[in-house]
Structure formats: C-alpha cells, structure tokens
C-alpha cells in the first residue's frame, strides 16, 4: 500500500517508530473486534486525517497484501462517523465529503450533539470500539490509554487511540511524507481547528507585509513549536463573578482584581533547605518584583517541603485562585525533585514520558537521560506545553496556568523570565498589563496618629490596602493604585488628580503641623 511504502522509504526513524506502534494498536483492535464492531470518528482535522490513512494501512496489512492486486484500497470497510455541525467551517465539511468519496468511506452523519448522536448510533449498530484521533495534549486526552473504556455516563464502547503519543511534529511529518490530502485551512495559518466561533489563524504564523492590508499566514506545518498549536483557539471570557463588598477592607480580593482586569499570581518555592534556614530564598522576591514590573499582583508566596502531597496541595489551592502560578525548586533527577509529580497530582493526571522533552534533555545532558534514569522526561500528562527558546538549553514547562521554572539562581531566573516574556508576553497567559508608575509618600507621623485618618480611607475605599512604613502610588491610565510597599495592590476609582488631592487632604487634616511630602 502507498502509505506503508512511503513510511518504509522515509529516513525519519522517529516517524517509522510512531507508524509501527500505531499500526500495532490498529491490528490489535481489528483482531479483538470484527469489522462490523468497529467505527472511526472523523472530523476533517489533521489528526483524524492521519488516523484515516493509518487505518487504511492497518486494515490493508491486517488482511494481507496478497488480497489486493491494485496496491491500495478502493473502498474502506470501517464505518466512519461524522458529526456535522452548523458551526463547522465550510472547508471542513467540503474536505470531509471529498475524502469520503475518494476513499469510499461509509459515512454515518450525525447532526445532533455528540453524546446523543453516539447513543442513538450504538443502539442501532453493533459497534463496540471506536478509533479516535486523540493525542496527548488534547483536552480530552487526560487519563486515556491506547485502549480506554468510555467515561461513566456515556454509552459503553472501547476508545482506541492509535496516535495518543504522537506530537504535532509527528502528525505533519506523516502528512508530508505520505503526501496525503488535508484540509485547506491548514495552509491559511490554522493549526488547531474547532468551530467558526472559537478558531482563528495562529498569530505565530502571521507574515508581516506592510504593502497589504490583509493578514497573511504561513502554513500550519511551519509552526516551529508544536506545543503552541492551540494558540489559534479563541479563549472565551468567563462571566463576571460578583463577590461580596466588605464594609471595611484592607486590600483588593481576587474577585475584585479579576473584575477590574488585574492579573494575579502566586509564587511557590519547593525546598526543605529553605524551610530549615540553610539556604535563603532569593528567587521568590526577585520573581515578585518581575511580576510587579509587568502590572501583575502577587497574592501570595509560599515555601513547601520536598514532598509530592505538599506540592500538590499548595498548587491545587493556588491554581484556581490566580491567573498564573509560578513554582520553582524540586526540579531535576534526584529523588527529592518532586515538583512535576506534585503538579500532576494537583491536576489529577499522571506523569507520562514526553518524547519531545526527552530529545531536548538528551541534547543537553547526553545519553544519561535514557532508560530507567529518564525521570526528568516525565511530565504531567495531557496538560503540558513546552515553550522552547534559543537562549534556553531545555524548554520552559507550562501546565495549564502553572509554570514550572528550572532556575536555581538569579542569573538563571533572569534569563528564563526574559524568554517567558518573549514567548508569552503577547498571549493571554502572561499578558503585559499597563506598567505602574511608583511614587513614595513619606511622613514623620507615628502610627498611632495616622491610624484614624487611614481607617477613614479604608471605609470610603474598601479596596484600599494599607500597611506600614511606605505608601506607594501606582498610576494606571485614569486609576490610582495605593498600597504599602510590602503589601498587595488595591484600587482607587475615579480621576487621578481628584483622588490624589483628596488623599493628601485627609491625611494632612489629621495633624496640620505635619506635612506629607510627595517625592
């Protein structure tokens, strides 16, 4: 068959291994189930396109080449399920029907929702197993194996995932090596295709052309870092959460900060040596300053033990309460390096080998990263993105809204932070907020004398955060943020000049003989 022949003649050893493993899964499924008991879910995307041709090759090899004198299959006997949606791209629909005609696919077209349509189909047909084009990194891939029973609440069937361990690079290597047709949207800069409501071309493939007002994009297979394939999926903004508004507050809570467009982060250090006082943590304060410099508020810093459960509990608490969580320490090949395992447990997923990360590690530390000593290449399954930068020996690791930093000193942190901003600064993940301009108000009044006027301020402005020593003014467009230099941010609403004058007046009226000086 042409697919098998193209792979055998390829010089890509990795692709050959992936192909052989996928074919083994397919042949195993065809040995367990009759052809009437299996189906294939096709959606017109790149992954299911790859799976279609793997199934054709697998079925051909399963039956034996001698049965086909023409060297290929004119009719594909595996039942194909297509969920047609009004929100699908017209190019996807057209490609699907063209492919069905070309390869003689037996299409079962379902126009209801996925679950209801599947229930009806399984009642009408003797289907016991469905081939799916799911890959590690897909939202639905968490916890799945190559053979996984359907989830509770769904009709019973076996999910067969031949390309579960394939990467973005593997998918395009197969498509280009085998020269198979794919949807034209991928030539227009789309790298991951959902509905017309949540999919745009990947901005990382945009071509700068000052002579044209229309944006142009490179094809999907030129995306250098496959972990960014979903960058073209539009993130939907969740509805605003209306929380309580306390009568007297001393700082802005997380709900308020999100409501006002402020980004929050937590910083977690992993290390028994910090807790014992043997080592002084320098990375935490530095990271807080870096986050503040891009307009982010750090809600909490924490130091936890080198223990999987301790890491998991802290990450689980912080990941849902902040836009981003930064964690460092406990990363490496030692038994005490438990950060990745703790992050995985916090998200309820397992650690699984990541071949792309292993390649980077092998280039960095040689063949020591193989076999049983390959613990560093195990990352949280299905939620991990790798962000590679030419200035870094290995990629940065992002697990949903948790970033695992490998830095062990300030110099390394500075480098990783610079690379992070270059890689994520233009995205929603680490959006650069309006920078703060800091001014210092000083007074020689003792605490007991300023306590009453400051309490009045807290009553009038519930989101005002006041501590000791210094007062900082951060001006953001028409808003003023006020806090102590050792506390979090809080927000003054209104016009800058009016609010600034009013604050000075309230404090100076308490003791006319003392004066606040704006430096």
């Amino acid at each position: 068959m042409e697919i098998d022949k193209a792979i055998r003649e390829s010089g890509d050893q990795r692709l050959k291994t992936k192909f052989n493993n996928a074919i083994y899964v397919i042949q195993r499924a065809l040995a367990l189930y009759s052809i009437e008991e299996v189906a294939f879910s096709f959606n017109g995307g790149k992954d299911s396109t790859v799976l279609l041709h793997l199934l054709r090759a697998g079925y051909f090899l399963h039956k034996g080449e001698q049965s086909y004198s023409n060297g290929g299959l004119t009719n594909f006997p595996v039942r194909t399920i297509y969920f047609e949606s009004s929100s699908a791209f017209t190019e996807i629909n057209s490609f699907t029907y063209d492919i069905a005609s070309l390869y003689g696919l037996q299409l079962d077209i379902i126009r209801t929702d996925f679950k209801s349509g599947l229930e009806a189909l399984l009642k009408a047909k003797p289907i016991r197993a469905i081939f799916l084009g799911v890959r590690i990194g897909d939202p639905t891939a968490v916890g799945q194996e190559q053979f996984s029973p359907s989830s509770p609440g769904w009709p019973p069937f076996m999910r067969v995932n031949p390309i579960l361990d394939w990467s973005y690079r593997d998918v395009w290597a197969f498509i280009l090596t085998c020269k198979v047709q794919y949807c034209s949207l991928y030539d227009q800069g789309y790298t991951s295709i959902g509905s017309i409501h949540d999919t745009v071309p990947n901005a990382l493939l945009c071509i700068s052309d000052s002579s044209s007002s229309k944006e142009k994009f490179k094809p999907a297979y030129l995306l250098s870092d496959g972990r960014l394939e979903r960058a073209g999926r539009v993130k939907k903004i969740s509805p605003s959460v209306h929380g309580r508004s306390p009568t007297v507050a001393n700082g802005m809570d997380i709900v308020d900060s999100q409501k006002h467009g402020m980004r929050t982060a937590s910083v977690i250090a992993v290390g028994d040596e910090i807790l014992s006082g043997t080592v002084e943590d320098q990375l935490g304060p530095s990271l807080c300053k870096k986050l503040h410099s891009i307009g982010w508020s750090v809600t909490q810093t924490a130091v936890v033990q080198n223990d999987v459960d301790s890491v998991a509990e802290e990450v689980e608490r912080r990941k849902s309460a902040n836009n981003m969580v930064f964690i460092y320490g406990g990363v490496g090949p030692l038994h005490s390096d438990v950060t990745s395992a703790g992050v995985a447990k916090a998200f309820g997923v397992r650690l699984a080998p990541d071949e792309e990360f292993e390649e980077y590690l092998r280039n960095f530390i040689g063949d020591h990263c193989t076999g049983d000593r390959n613990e560093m290449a195990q990352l949280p399954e299905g939620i991990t993105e790798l962000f590679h930068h030419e200035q870094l020996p290995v990629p940065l690791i992002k697990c949903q809204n948790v970033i695992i930093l490998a830095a062990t000193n300030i110099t390394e942190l500075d480098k990783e932070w610079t690379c992070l901003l270059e890689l994520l600064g233009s995205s929603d993940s680490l959006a650069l907020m309006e920078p703060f301009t800091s001014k210092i108000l000083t007074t020689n009044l003792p605490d007991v004398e300023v306590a009453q006027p400051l309490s009045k301020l807290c009553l009038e402005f519930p989101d005002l955060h006041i501590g000791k020593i210094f007062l900082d003014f951060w001006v953001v467009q028409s808003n003023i943020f006020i806090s102590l230099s050792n506390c979090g941010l809080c927000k003054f609403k209104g016009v800058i000049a009016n609010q600034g004058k009013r604050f000075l007046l309230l404090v100076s009226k308490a003791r006319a003989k003392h004066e606040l000086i704006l430096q």
Side-chain angles (χ1 to χ4, degrees):
M1 186 184 182
E2 73 279 6
I3 299 298
D4 182 55
K5 181 175 183 292
I7 297 296
R8 280 190 280 107
E9 294 176 352
S10 169
D12 189 336
Q13 189 58 47
R14 176 186 170 114
L15 179 60
K16 288 181 179 180
T17 301
K18 295 288 186 180
F19 174 80
N20 290 333
N21 291 343
I23 293 298
Y24 173 76
V25 173
I26 291 168
Q27 291 181 317
R28 186 178 169 198
L30 294 176
L32 291 170
Y33 306 98
S34 68
I35 200 68
E36 293 79 18
E37 294 176 324
V38 297
F40 162 49
S41 180
F42 186 70
N43 62 12
K46 62 185 183 304
D47 299 336
S48 61
T49 297
V50 167
L51 183 53
L52 166 64
H53 294 288
L54 287 171
L55 285 170
R56 292 178 62 241
Y59 183 77
F60 174 82
L61 295 170
H62 177 68
K63 288 297 184 181
E65 188 170 350
Q66 65 275 15
S67 303
Y68 301 92
S69 58
N70 62 356
L73 295 171
T74 55
N75 287 292
F76 183 58
V78 178
R79 185 180 301 277
T80 304
I81 307 169
Y82 179 55
F83 292 85
E84 188 178 83
S85 170
S86 59
S87 62
F89 285 86
T90 56
E91 292 89 343
I92 285 288
N93 284 327
S94 298
F95 174 72
T96 298
Y97 291 116
D98 288 346
I99 288 296
S101 175
L102 179 63
Y103 295 109
L105 304 184
Q106 302 176 34
L107 281 185
D108 279 305
I109 302 172
I110 297 176
R111 295 183 173 87
T112 60
D113 67 276
F114 191 92
K115 187 175 182 181
S116 300
L118 197 57
E119 287 175 341
L121 180 65
L122 295 186
K123 285 181 180 179
K125 308 294 181 182
I127 298 172
R128 296 176 57 200
I130 300 177
F131 290 101
L132 301 170
V134 173
R135 291 189 293 114
I136 288 294
D138 294 343
T140 59
V142 177
Q144 288 205 49
E145 305 285 349
Q146 291 174 323
F147 286 83
S148 290
S150 54
S151 301
W154 284 71
F157 67 94
M158 182 63 73
R159 293 175 289 189
V160 185
N161 303 308
I163 63 170
L164 188 64
D165 64 340
W166 284 44
S167 66
Y168 184 86
R169 169 212 180 272
D170 298 327
V171 167
W172 281 109
F174 178 91
I175 290 174
L176 298 177
T177 298
C178 298
K179 297 181 173 61
V180 297
Q181 294 183 39
Y182 56 87
C183 180
S184 61
L185 289 174
Y186 291 111
D187 285 332
Q188 301 171 34
Y190 292 85
T191 54
S192 177
I193 301 175
S195 76
I196 58 176
H197 305 299
D198 66 2
T199 309
V200 295
N202 196 322
L204 297 168
L205 294 173
C206 186
I207 302 172
S208 300
D209 185 2
S210 57
S211 63
S212 174
S213 59
K214 185 178 180 181
E215 287 186 320
K216 296 181 180 179
F217 296 85
K218 294 179 285 188
Y221 56 79
L222 292 181
L223 183 67
S224 58
D225 189 345
R227 296 305 177 124
L228 301 175
E229 67 173 296
R230 296 182 69 84
R233 291 296 186 98
V234 178
K235 295 179 184 278
K236 295 185 178 180
I237 301 174
S238 59
S240 297
V241 180
H242 298 282
R244 59 180 177 82
S245 180
T247 304
V248 179
N250 189 30
M252 196 172 190
D253 62 25
I254 293 166
V255 170
D256 284 336
S257 67
Q258 291 175 346
K259 200 161 64 176
H260 294 304
M262 190 182 295
R263 298 303 180 92
T264 64
S266 280
V267 176
I268 303 172
V270 180
D272 292 340
E273 67 280 3
I274 300 175
L275 292 171
S276 67
T278 307
V279 174
E280 182 181 352
D281 179 27
Q282 296 181 336
L283 301 190
S286 177
L287 190 53
C288 290
K289 290 178 182 178
K290 294 179 187 301
L291 286 162
H292 175 261
S293 72
I294 62 169
W296 281 57
S297 171
V298 179
T299 61
Q300 184 165 358
T301 63
V303 182
V304 299
Q305 296 174 310
N306 291 91
D307 173 75
V308 173
D309 290 334
S310 297
V311 174
E313 289 170 7
E314 192 65 29
V315 171
E316 188 172 7
R317 279 195 294 267
R318 302 303 159 204
K319 67 183 176 66
S320 58
N322 294 273
N323 299 100
M324 191 69 75
V325 176
F326 295 85
I327 187 167
Y328 57 90
V331 178
L334 302 177
H335 71 282
S336 58
D337 293 322
V338 297
T339 296
S340 294
V343 171
K345 187 170 183 178
F347 283 98
V349 302
R350 68 174 188 175
L351 285 178
D354 188 293
E355 291 189 1
E356 289 191 29
F357 194 55
E358 184 177 358
E359 286 185 5
Y360 287 116
L361 289 175
R362 184 174 289 110
N363 291 331
F364 180 48
I365 61 178
D367 292 332
H368 292 292
C369 185
T370 58
D372 294 336
R373 298 198 292 182
N374 192 21
E375 296 298 324
M376 289 176 65
Q378 300 214 20
L379 300 175
E381 180 185 43
I383 61 170
T384 298
E385 294 179 84
L386 297 181
F387 293 94
H388 183 66
H389 192 283
E390 59 183 6
Q391 297 297 321
L392 299 176
V394 294
L396 293 162
I397 301 169
K398 179 174 175 288
C399 301
Q400 292 191 10
N401 67 330
V402 177
I403 291 182
I404 301 175
L405 298 170
T408 59
N409 55 57
I410 294 296
T411 301
E412 292 176 353
L413 179 63
D414 289 345
K415 181 180 290 187
E416 289 188 10
W417 179 257
T418 300
C419 295
L420 259 181
L421 291 184
E422 290 184 20
L423 292 167
L424 297 179
S426 60
S427 70
D428 187 61
S429 298
L430 195 61
L432 303 183
M433 309 303 288
E434 192 72 23
F436 301 132
T437 301
S438 179
K439 298 292 183 182
I440 299 175
L441 284 171
T442 63
T443 180
N444 56 1
L445 290 171
D447 289 353
V448 292
E449 295 188 22
V450 297
Q452 186 177 0
L454 292 183
S455 295
K456 290 180 180 179
L457 281 175
C458 286
L459 286 170
E460 187 167 356
F461 302 98
D463 49 7
L464 182 61
H465 196 162
I466 297 178
K468 290 184 177 181
I469 310 175
F470 293 112
L471 287 171
D472 288 358
F473 267 45
W474 286 286
V475 182
V476 183
Q477 295 178 347
S478 62
N479 298 312
I480 291 180
F481 294 81
I482 300 178
S483 81
L484 288 180
S485 59
N486 60 340
C487 299
L489 298 180
C490 58
K491 189 167 186 177
F492 251 158
K493 305 178 183 71
V495 181
I496 296 173
N498 290 340
Q499 298 294 0
K501 290 177 181 177
R502 188 171 189 181
F503 176 74
L504 292 173
L505 179 63
L506 282 171
V507 177
S508 59
K509 276 177 65 177
R511 290 288 185 273
K513 61 182 179 180
H514 296 290
E515 185 180 28
L516 286 175
I517 303 171
L518 181 61
Q519 295 180 339

